[in-house]
Every structure is written in structure tokens, then in C-alpha cells.
Amino acid sequence: MHDLILHHYPTSPFSEKIRLILGYKQLAWKSVIIPSIMPKPDVLALTGGYRKTPFLQIGADIYCDTALICDVLEHRQPSPTLYPDHQKGVARVLAQWADTTLFWAAMAYNLSPKGAAAMFAGAPPEVAKAFAADRGAMSTGMTRLRPGDATAAYKSYLRRLANMLDDHPFLLGAAPTVADFAAYHPLWFSRVRNPVMGDILQATPGVLGWMDRLAALGHGRMDKFDSADAIAVAAASQPAPVGDEPFQDEHGIALGSRVSIAAETFGTETTEGELVAATRMHYTLRRTDERAGTVHVHFPRIGYVLRALDAA
């Protein structure tokens, strides 16, 4: 069985979501630190275009987006579960809200002028300019909340999370679900990555206690790994069989077609390849790179746009 290789960087909030899930499931994993901004040549050798953080590598299989990574880790280690039988639907819906609506309100608050100044205090001006340009390129066409609106929304969302924690230690009961990890990471950014903005959490002490319980789960058993070695692992491996799940065709695109896939909004860089699976939950593209060899790159259905490429 191939090792779990997480490509991430320490201050990435979505990476913290996955690191905590690895801790919750007490999984061993290899850590590849990637750049926080472009260029990312080793990332693109594996993903073919996708450049958001993190992504998970298992041999020659590359899993993009934390929603899909959560499913992969659940399959790898079913217990303790992220999706309790009686709460699967509500846990997934709450996690999707947290990864989108809550996340963007929190980040617009965290990166307000005060927050941005604190984040880049002491750094050369070109560092902040490069980060702003990189994220600007990733968010072309997005509607961003203004700081005042973001602060108001963030406070309301924190109160709603606090209400959910009135009667039990985690959002949906006695144990964490995927919803807890999704809701945690934007708040972690406020509290840990940019603590000058963390005072907003003080009005909801129940949320702070919940964050402490999640943080105590740790990050599992991590070993450092090099990106060149990760590419070599892919080149020396074969993608796992795609399985026999039924082909779910909503696009009129046949298996074997050349396609592109990209996120709907943030980070819309495309990955191109041959469509080799389209299941109920995800798409799989086969692509070949001169360094990584033949890999399968996997994307969740929700939040991604699949298009056929012209034969020409």
C-alpha cells in the first residue's frame, strides 16, 4: 500500500483541516512543503494545472480539493468516522457551507488592512505585493466581501457555531465529524496564523473550547519528504484501477474523451487529460508528465466544471 503524501504548507488553512483529520484518524503521512504562491513547477508536474493547497498523493494518484481528500482518508481509515450513519447528509452540507461561506467571510476579515499589515509586518514590500498578485489572479471574477461586511457576517457565524456547541462538545454531537474540521480551519487562521485578528473569537468562549478540543487531536505521524522524491514515487507507480462504479454521465462526454476540469470560482486553472471515470462522487483524468509519468488526477463533482476539448 502506497504512503499518504500531503503536499501543503504550514500556514494554509485548508491544509490544517486535513492535518487535523490525519491526527484524528491517527494516520502516518509524508509531508511535502510546497510554495504558497506561483511558480509551483513540482505541483503542476503532478496535477497538470490545479494549484490550490493542499493536494494528496497516493502513488500515481493525485487527489485535489479537501472535500475529496476527506473521502479518500475515510476509505483509507474508516474509524473514527467523519460521516456518522445518522448524520452523513447534515455533516456534508455543513462542511460545504464552512468551506465556502464561512471561509470567505473569515478570510475577508483576516486579510482586512489591519490583518494584512500584521501578516506581512517585517517582510520586504515585494513579498506582500507578490502574495496579493497571486491571490488576485486566483480570484478573478469573484465577488469579495468588504471588511465591514465580512466582520459582521463572521461574528454572526461564530454565534451560530456557539449555539451548536451549547449541549455537546462538537458541532453535531459527542464526536467530531467532517463539519467540525471544515468549520475549524478558517477560525484557526484568525487565532493562530494572524492572532492580531483573533480577538473576534473572545465573544464565543464555547467556540474557543471546541477549538482547543480539535487542536488536541494533533496531526498524526508525519515524516518530511521532498517534492522531487514525491514525483519519483509517481513515476515509479501505476495509478490504481478506477474500479467498477457506474459511469455517471451528465455532460454527454464519453469516457476516453479529452477534457478539461477547473474549479467554478477560486483557482480556476485547468487540468487537461483523458476522462477515465465519472462516478457519483468524482471525476478522474489520466494525464502524462515527462517527470511524473502517467498519473490519475481526481476531482470532486461539486464545485468543478467539466468540459470536452475540441478534437482539433
Side-chain angles (χ1 to χ4, degrees), residues 279-300:
T279 71
R280 181 174 57 88
M281 298 292 289
H282 71 279
Y283 305 111
T284 300
L285 275 60
R286 178 184 289 125
R287 58 175 303 275
T288 301
D289 178 84
E290 62 181 13
R291 298 167 62 202
T294 297
V295 296
H296 283 177
V297 190
H298 308 267
F299 296 86

Side-chain angles (χ1 to χ4, degrees), residues 63-133:
Y63 298 93
C64 301
D65 197 285
T66 60
L68 179 56
I69 293 171
C70 288
D71 289 339
V72 172
L73 296 180
E74 182 79 356
H75 184 264
R76 180 80 166 227
Q77 177 62 270
S79 180
T81 184
L82 298 174
Y83 310 101
D85 284 340
H86 63 295
Q87 294 176 322
K88 285 181 181 179
V90 69
R92 287 187 184 276
V93 169
L94 184 55
Q96 186 181 358
W97 166 81
D99 280 342
T100 53
T101 303
L102 172 62
F103 175 80
W104 287 114
M107 295 311 290
Y109 165 80
N110 289 322
L111 296 177
S112 65
K114 175 184 174 182
M119 275 185 60
F120 295 104
E126 57 267 23
V127 171
K129 287 181 65 176
F131 182 86

Side-chain angles (χ1 to χ4, degrees), residues 20-24 26 170 176 181 212-220:
L20 274 186
I21 291 173
L22 289 163
Y24 182 49
Q26 284 298 292
F170 298 100
F181 299 102
D212 290 340
R213 290 188 287 276
L214 286 168
L217 297 172
H219 291 164

Side-chain angles (χ1 to χ4, degrees), residues 195-211:
V196 72
M197 305 301 290
D199 285 350
I200 197 170
L201 302 167
Q202 298 302 318
T204 50
V207 169
L208 289 172
W210 164 78
M211 292 183 72

